[in-house]
Amino acid sequence: MKWMQFFTPAKSLDFNEAENYIAQHPGEQITILDVRQPSEYQDSHIPGAVLIPLPQLSDRLGELDPEKPTLVY
Amino acid sequence: MLAGKGFKHVYNVSGGIKAWHAKTAIGPQDLGMTLFSGKESPLDVLTVAYSLEQGLQEFYVTMEQEAKNAAVKDLFAKLSEIEVKHQMSIYTAYCDISDTQLSKEAFEKTVEVKALEGGLSTREYLELFNPDLTSETDVISLAMSIEAQALDLYQRVSFKIENQASREIINKIANEEKVHLASLAKLMDSL
């Protein structure tokens, strides 16, 4: 996924920075988006993460709030 | 993709989830969701949340009785006391918005314990995390895993709850779970 940063204006955070970001923001003010496959989500995910596997993302964007900061992994 | 679709602040989290140090949650996205129908009033939400805290508190009491190691016994007693405080805070929130003032005992009679915090049963938690119940570190790690599951469940449920006031209560409880998790991390660091 690293190549994406060169083609989109999205910033990159490592998991350490993401942990701090999530700790500093109430859960309802941010979206944590897990774009991996359901089996990976089931094994382990960031608490509160919404699962939308990458192949479904373009069809399901309406489920997310574009106004909220969105952390994608 | 998101940035091109009007999402204002998008962050790519790099490095893979193995780099995540805090507790993760496990299970499918609908885990524990049957505990909430989505139609709950604020009072209903607090009653379900109380039942989950109650389930966990009873679990810690049972574990305290079963533990052989004195330090672990004390630790379970401490964890159980923490849950009593969480229950008290939910009961107080209930009294603040309820028209009829119920005593704590009368309120508890309306509460049906179906699961622990996070929506799993005692046996399921023990099987999933398989803690060494003679180790203080493992016991706190188990407690942290349960709090992480609870945080995860409340945040997932908040998408399902239709009533705005109920959703705000769920979000508040979820944020409190974050604080609980941080307190347990401090407790772990103090060992």
Side-chain angles (χ1 to χ4, degrees):
Chain A
M1 293 272 283
K2 274 187 181 167
W3 56 270
M4 282 181 75
Q5 63 191 295
F6 299 111
F7 296 95
T8 69
K11 292 175 192 159
S12 224
L13 297 180
D14 63 28
F15 269 81
N16 232 331
E17 292 167 321
E19 263 183 63
N20 290 333
Y21 190 92
I22 292 166
Q24 286 161 15
H25 292 78
E28 69 275 19
Q29 289 178 11
I30 57 173
T31 302
I32 306 167
L33 177 61
D34 189 329
V35 295
R36 301 172 303 155
Q37 289 305 106
S39 59
E40 295 175 279
Y41 177 95
Q42 187 157 340
D43 282 349
S44 175
H45 58 266
I46 297 176
V50 178
L51 172 68
I52 304 184
L54 198 53
Q56 300 171 20
L57 188 57
S58 59
D59 294 333
R60 295 180 56 191
L61 280 180
E63 296 173 27
L64 306 172
D65 182 351
E67 298 297 322
K68 288 184 185 175
T70 305
L71 280 72
V72 189
Y73 72 98
Chain B
M1 184 189 292
L2 294 167
K5 295 282 183 184
F7 282 75
K8 298 204 168 98
H9 302 285
V10 182
Y11 300 95
N12 289 318
V13 184
S14 57
I17 196 160
K18 287 205 170 101
W20 180 259
H21 296 112
K23 280 284 173 189
T24 54
I26 56 165
Q29 207 173 17
D30 57 357
L31 180 68
M33 295 288 268
T34 52
L35 290 164
F36 293 87
S37 68
K39 308 273 184 203
E40 282 83 2
S41 69
L43 291 177
D44 295 334
V45 164
L46 289 164
T47 306
V48 176
Y50 190 95
S51 80
L52 296 173
E53 300 280 356
Q54 173 92 14
L56 185 55
Q57 194 263 338
E58 287 170 3
F59 169 63
Y60 288 146
V61 169
T62 309
M63 295 315 292
E64 181 195 350
Q65 287 160 356
E66 288 182 10
K68 309 275 183 259
N69 174 321
V72 168
K73 220 179 227 310
D74 286 351
L75 186 52
F76 274 123
K78 190 182 281 182
L79 292 170
S80 156
E81 281 165 26
I82 292 171
E83 291 310 314
V84 170
K85 283 184 192 151
H86 297 171
Q87 282 175 277
M88 205 51 183
S89 120
I90 292 173
Y91 169 65
T92 305
Y94 185 96
C95 292
D96 286 348
I97 58 170
S98 174
D99 293 332
T100 50
Q101 289 304 303
L102 288 178
S103 68
K104 190 156 173 288
E105 291 69 31
F107 170 65
E108 280 182 352
K109 283 189 183 146
T110 70
V111 171
E112 188 189 354
V113 177
K114 293 181 191 158
L116 271 64
E117 277 199 296
L120 293 168
S121 70
T122 310
R123 187 180 48 79
E124 286 167 326
Y125 274 122
L126 288 175
E127 280 175 4
L128 272 172
F129 300 113
N130 194 23
D132 172 359
L133 294 173
T134 61
S135 151
E136 289 173 88
T137 310
D138 263 33
V139 168
I140 296 181
S141 182
L142 170 69
M144 289 176 75
S145 300
I146 295 173
E147 295 293 345
Q149 287 297 124
L151 170 61
D152 184 52
L153 175 63
Y154 288 130
Q155 290 190 336
R156 283 183 288 119
V157 161
S158 77
F159 284 95
K160 185 178 175 181
I161 300 281
E162 292 169 9
N163 178 308
Q164 173 70 23
S166 301
R167 198 161 51 238
E168 281 168 14
I169 288 175
I170 283 278
N171 287 334
K172 186 166 181 283
I173 297 173
N175 289 324
E176 284 167 2
E177 296 299 342
K178 252 189 193 178
V179 176
H180 301 166
L181 204 43
S183 317
L184 288 171
K186 272 190 191 161
L187 185 60
M188 176 82 95
D189 290 343
S190 72
L191 289 181

